[in-house]
Amino acid sequence: MVARAISSLLSREPDDMAETAVLETITTAHPSIARLAFNKLHEHRRTLLGGNDAVEKLVMFLLVEYKRVESSRNDRESTVDIILDWLSDEVLRGYGAGEFTRDGLLERFSEDLCFDILRQVGASWGSIRDENTKAILADFTGHFVDALAGEGRSALEPLGSLRFRLSLVARTKGPGALTGLLDRIVDGDVAAFELVAIAMVNVENWTGFETNRQNLGFDTEEWRTAISIEVRERMAAHLTDEFDSYPIDIDDVSNSNRRRLAIFRARTEFGFCGATADV
């Protein structure tokens, strides 16, 4: 049944019965069984690599399933990670074969999902040498750079992916392309400067034998590269001083504490804060 479903999803031998049976298993079974089903499907898919199969139908099948279970990503037995891994592989194949374009992917997927796919393909072993991976990352980097050339703080959106987009610019265009890239947007705009500082705060996950915990970190290198020192010093002086002596609890990952840490780090760099702790 799995073999028939995969052949059908690759448009080799249409088999609605097999697709329906597999889909019913995935959508009605316990998540642990659904994970096994996806692993079995993906395993069989790998045996068919090397052909010229169109992947659009398979991609849409995976996309629908990803959206269905996306809200369960924090559940230990969720299928989100398996689907995203497989979906990223197929999107890369389709892009390399000319089935998908950058603009087509942005239109079909959410921008956030495109970012997740790019993270996935860029993190895989051999991605530095893979021509398809280099091509899709460079293509999207051009889109990001064009967007950052827009007017006002709206050019920074979506803020949640700003650090990733900046790191992609540095990876594909070289570190020099990132130098002072955000100066024009934040210089003279305190709100925009603060937003970028907040975007530099990341949540780090720590997993132990029996515990999982999170705490806040700050991407100092990207912050200091994307905004020149002259602009950082000038704008940091205009940020609120209400957190200058505030005890920052990095175990508090709330949005309000992310803002506290961001402002504290931006002002501490130039001695505006009385505190000296490097949190």
Side-chain angles (χ1 to χ4, degrees), residues 260-274:
R260 293 186 191 106
L261 177 59
I263 293 174
F264 179 85
R265 290 299 297 266
R267 286 178 59 79
T268 299
E269 181 180 8
F270 299 102
F272 294 124
C273 298

Side-chain angles (χ1 to χ4, degrees), residues 193-211:
F193 183 72
E194 180 179 307
L195 287 173
V196 174
I198 295 170
M200 293 299 113
V201 178
N202 60 299
V203 177
E204 300 171 341
N205 295 292
W206 301 90
T207 303
F209 180 67
E210 294 183 342
T211 60

